[in-house]
Amino acid sequence: MSISPADVLANRLRIYARRRRAEKLRARAMAQPFSSHSAARLLLVSQPERIPQSQIFPFHHYAKDLKRLYGAEVRESDTWQVLAGAEQRAKGASVVAFQTPFDIPDAELTQLVDRLRADNPDARLVYLDWFAPTDLRNAERMDPLIDLYVKKHLLKDRTAYGQPTRGDTNLTDYFNRRFDIDEPGQCFAIPDRFMAKLILGPSFATAPGILPALTGRRPTSAGRNIDLHARFAVGGTPWYQAMRGEAEAALAGLSDLTIAQGEGVPLPRFMVEMRASKIGFSPFGYGEVCWRDYEAVMAGAVLLKPDMSHIETAPDIFVPWETYVPIAWDLSDFHDTVRRLAADEPLREKIAAQAFDTLHDWLNSKQFARSMAPLFS
């Protein structure tokens, strides 16, 4: 497995340029107050970290579409500055879409919402859930505070919400039971009116480091000398470690194939390797949808992943044998499926192309802005 240092350097520069563009768009949106003549004024109250910002970036990238469709101006403030009362520009919005830390205490949440309502008394309040799991753990406490709730991915079967699980999520429930891990049960209550507030938003496809690649030219299938890309972390909570450890152990049965495995590789090299790979294996993380799903597609590798038929996200790249290849959650068909894909270049080319085109066409359209219509209704 030979990786060109020049390719890694070029990729590092691309990643840096994309990050800088996102930072400039965010800085511009944070530096200006709302103008007095806009028909709609959208204030994003956000977390600065990489995962939350993947949900925020499209509002800036598609700002012109939001302006044309809804007359909306987009501004941004930092969650903690607003909470501390230090942000004076975060006022006069007609829509406030806000994020919080994963584990924000009730008192701080109430303080934040009170501050947002005081500074934006006529605004529609929208919660942006950037968290990895599909659960709605914040439904009960958010319901009386907000008008809408945007989530990056949802369970297709909405009746699965409000059901008890071993651990916090559907994934913890399955893998705790599979590996006989004792974790306390959990049941997150769903208020009757809450489901009507749900809006499905895009996932990592709109991240600053991913969206630009997916709006460009589709990668070719040439030069792919790695059969399977399978770099992922294994350590974590007991159920996560057991799940990822099983995935890592499954690689041992494919010693005749060229596999990129292990962890700790910087992103520039990781993506050069993915671009040289035929198949990108993406086990579940703490949620089903992972960065690697989109990194595989943007690199032109076939996405191989535990079955996603229970998940709804947009745009949908989880169409079996059309835009990704599903395997059983217990990995019982892992070896057979990898060998089938490794041996069938036309099939790989078709699936990889269809996945890329699905994202490319969606991201080059006005679909993001249209999906956010309820914010401005």
Side-chain angles (χ1 to χ4, degrees), residues 92-318:
S94 56
V95 182
V96 177
F98 70 101
Q99 297 175 323
T100 65
F102 184 77
D103 54 354
I104 186 170
D106 288 343
E108 288 185 1
L109 174 61
T110 301
Q111 182 183 351
L112 174 62
V113 171
D114 287 347
R115 169 72 63 178
L116 293 174
R117 289 209 178 278
D119 290 345
N120 307 276
D122 300 320
R124 170 171 288 189
L125 225 56
V126 181
Y127 186 61
L128 300 177
D129 181 340
W130 56 268
F131 310 143
T134 56
D135 67 74
L136 294 171
R137 66 185 64 202
N138 285 314
E140 188 170 33
R141 65 174 180 163
M142 284 293 180
D143 185 56
L145 304 176
I146 61 165
D147 299 291
L148 296 169
Y149 191 108
V150 180
K151 184 139 180 93
K152 299 191 300 182
H153 33 262
L154 291 162
L155 297 174
K156 286 181 180 178
D157 179 8
R158 302 292 198 264
T159 65
Y161 289 112
Q163 301 300 317
T165 54
R166 183 184 291 187
D168 289 351
T169 75
N170 60 309
L171 292 186
T172 64
D173 186 74
Y174 175 84
F175 289 104
N176 280 332
R177 296 178 190 279
R178 172 166 170 72
F179 297 111
D180 196 25
I181 298 170
D182 186 19
E183 188 173 354
Q186 182 61 268
C187 185
F188 298 117
I190 308 294
D192 291 340
R193 60 182 181 175
F194 181 80
M195 299 308 261
K197 299 181 179 183
L198 275 179
I199 298 172
L200 179 66
S203 192
F204 293 123
T206 55
I210 293 179
L211 187 155
L214 290 169
T215 55
R217 186 178 302 174
R218 184 203 303 159
T220 69
S221 60
R224 297 187 182 270
N225 53 21
I226 300 172
D227 294 306
L228 179 66
H229 195 280
R231 291 194 185 277
F232 46 83
V234 176
T237 58
W239 74 269
Y240 184 93
Q241 186 170 337
M243 172 191 68
R244 286 290 185 87
E246 184 176 55
E248 184 180 54
L251 303 175
L254 299 170
S255 57
D256 55 315
L257 300 181
T258 302
I259 302 175
Q261 63 184 108
E263 55 183 295
V265 173
L267 182 60
R269 179 184 172 92
F270 178 96
M271 288 307 303
V272 170
E273 289 180 353
M274 188 69 83
R275 177 61 185 81
S277 298
K278 300 170 184 175
I279 307 163
F281 178 33
S282 180
F284 291 147
Y286 284 100
E288 287 90 338
V289 181
C290 303
W291 287 105
R292 192 176 290 101
D293 303 351
Y294 299 92
E295 290 166 345
V297 174
M298 69 185 269
V302 172
L303 173 60
L304 177 71
K305 189 171 182 68
D307 181 63
M308 293 284 281
S309 58
H310 64 301
I311 290 292
E312 181 181 359
T313 191
D316 186 7
I317 54 164
F318 303 114

Side-chain angles (χ1 to χ4, degrees), residues 6-17:
D7 289 342
V8 173
L9 176 60
N11 210 31
R12 181 177 291 112
L13 294 174
R14 279 192 292 270
I15 291 169
Y16 173 78

Side-chain angles (χ1 to χ4, degrees), residues 23-33 43-44 46 48 53 60 74-79 81 87 89-90:
E23 289 171 350
K24 288 179 180 178
L25 289 175
R26 184 170 191 254
R28 185 186 307 162
M30 296 181 78
Q32 299 175 342
L43 173 64
L44 304 168
S46 69
Q53 281 296 310
H60 299 311
V74 180
R75 300 292 185 262
E76 186 174 348
S77 292
D78 183 89
T79 302
Q81 289 181 332
E87 180 49 84
R89 289 180 295 272

